[in-house]
Amino acid sequence: MKKFFIFGLLAAILLWGCGYKDEAAEKKPLVRAEAVDTGTVLITVGFIQTGKESDWRDANTNDFLQTFTREKGYNLIYIDGNSDPERQVKAAYDLIAQNVDYIIIDPIVEDGWEDVFMEAKEKGIPVIVSDRQVNVNASHYACWVGSDFYKEGQNAAKWLEKYLEDKGREKEEIKIVLLEGTDGATATRGRTEGLYSVIDKHSNWKVVAKEYGNFTQGEGAQVMEGILNQKIEFDVVIAENDNMMFGAMNAMEQQGIAYGVGTDVITISFDALQEALAKVIKGELMVTVECNPLIAGLTEKAILDLEKGKRIEKVHFVKETVFTQENTVLHLMERKY
Ligand code: GZL
């Protein structure tokens, strides 16, 4: 243990020398949680999650819990943000007070993080932003790991473009219902901007209803029910995650509206949950744009690189696919979430 501890101290000295920090912050002594039961030195990682709003989120959480284990040398402090941005910020201050070695944050929304990130930086605690992003100067955190939400939105709309062309409907008036995620969340902002970067190219495409569903199945059903009750006509339903699409499908079923392949309603969503892929194969869902929740591996690599005093990239994108009727069967069995 002593040898490991000395190595850890050397790494710490190296870390301050060539890590991403350039300010004369107080050098945080390399404090590692002493695991009483095994006598090993652990890296204490505080992980602040958004909550449990979707199946995607559960897969993302499980990935972190299965990656940052005691057996692998981590003392993980997991905090459920309970879908409350203020609770997340308070949790970050608490972790700083506990003098953890690293803080990983899956932010619910982008705003409200500047002060606590400055505090962590002053205390010499590296922060890694995971999944969604924050409106904070990039010099105040070590790196961001996640998806290219703008590209996801573009990919969804480009699929619709090609689908309509293949059906000879490129000149037809297309009415779109858009169920957005959470107001102020990067996944919402990026997907919506990406979708509109294509929608705006088509004067015959019109978004006839746009509501926030906060990425939950219940709210997806609720807002879709409200849209149906307004008797708004539509040709396409785009949901910014699979759970909201499942809720919208339930609402359409309640009113006897058929959707999917061979019907008048085109269905498009994001995340690519196993349940969504099964619906693609059945034809109920026509495309789901993957948003890979398995981010913990890239996050752990960033931490281990920092431990070794390596300089790390500021942005790390995860790999993603677009699942349609043509390619889904090939991937169904290999899916981890
Ligand atoms: C995307 C992630 C979104 C998912 C939703 O990276 O932030 O939040 O698309 C989840 O399912 O709730």
Side-chain angles (χ1 to χ4, degrees), residues 207-243:
V207 176
V208 294
K210 184 156 70 82
E211 303 273 355
Y212 291 114
N214 287 314
F215 293 120
T216 71
Q217 193 155 326
E219 291 177 79
Q222 209 175 358
V223 294
M224 190 67 200
E225 195 180 327
I227 292 165
L228 294 173
N229 291 342
Q230 295 172 55
K231 306 292 179 215
I232 294 171
E233 287 190 359
F234 55 90
D235 308 290
V236 185
V237 177
I238 301 176
E240 290 186 346
N241 86 328
D242 292 331
N243 286 98

Side-chain angles (χ1 to χ4, degrees), residues 13 16 20 29 39 66 136 142 152 186 226 237 261 285-286 296 299 313 321:
I13 292 161
W16 304 126
Y20 64 97
Q66 288 159 18
V136 172
E152 290 175 3
T186 315
V237 177
V261 174
L285 181 58
M286 297 168 76
T299 310
E313 292 299 320
T321 305

Side-chain angles (χ1 to χ4, degrees), residues 17-213:
C18 58
Y20 64 97
K21 293 178 210 51
D22 52 11
E23 78 299 332
E26 178 199 341
K27 296 286 180 275
K28 178 166 110 32
L30 185 70
V31 175
R32 293 283 180 265
E34 186 89 21
V36 176
D37 49 344
T38 60
T40 56
V41 173
L42 298 174
I43 297 174
T44 297
V45 176
F47 172 45
I48 305 172
Q49 182 53 289
T50 60
K52 300 182 175 69
E53 76 279 358
S54 65
D55 295 332
W56 185 98
R57 187 62 57 197
D58 293 346
N60 178 250
T61 299
N62 290 335
D63 189 40
F64 276 95
L65 298 181
Q66 288 159 18
T67 297
F68 290 95
T69 61
R70 209 169 183 83
E71 295 69 38
K72 288 177 68 184
Y74 300 102
N75 169 30
L76 182 69
I77 302 171
Y78 165 68
I79 296 154
D80 178 344
N82 202 23
S83 297
D84 176 352
E86 286 180 16
R87 178 183 161 92
Q88 285 196 311
V89 172
K90 185 187 173 309
Y93 279 113
D94 292 348
L95 289 172
I96 293 168
Q98 293 176 57
N99 196 26
V100 297
D101 301 305
Y102 293 90
I103 296 175
I104 302 170
I105 295 173
D106 269 31
I108 296 166
V109 293
E110 297 180 337
D111 293 329
W113 292 102
E114 188 70 29
D115 293 344
V116 73
F117 272 53
M118 281 301 291
E119 175 98 359
K121 183 176 178 179
E122 281 156 21
K123 293 288 190 310
I125 300 175
V127 176
I128 293 176
V129 183
S130 155
D131 179 21
R132 304 174 190 175
Q133 295 170 0
V134 291
N135 274 333
V136 172
N137 185 310
S139 68
H140 297 169
Y141 55 87
C143 68
W144 169 79
V145 186
S147 301
D148 184 342
F149 303 112
Y150 184 86
K151 188 175 171 196
E152 290 175 3
Q154 282 192 310
N155 285 341
K158 284 177 180 173
W159 176 89
L160 180 59
E161 250 180 355
K162 183 166 181 326
Y163 175 81
L164 292 170
E165 276 163 23
D166 291 351
K167 298 286 182 188
R169 298 176 59 186
E170 62 273 25
K171 299 260 187 284
E172 197 179 301
E173 189 195 18
I174 299 296
K175 297 183 283 295
I176 298 168
V177 165
L178 175 56
L179 305 184
E180 291 190 280
T182 298
D183 187 8
T186 315
T188 304
R189 181 174 55 74
R191 287 171 187 161
T192 298
E193 288 173 4
L195 285 164
Y196 272 91
S197 72
V198 179
I199 290 171
D200 290 344
K201 288 179 185 164
H202 299 272
S203 56
N204 56 318
W205 291 14
K206 186 169 184 299
V207 176
V208 294
K210 184 156 70 82
E211 303 273 355
Y212 291 114

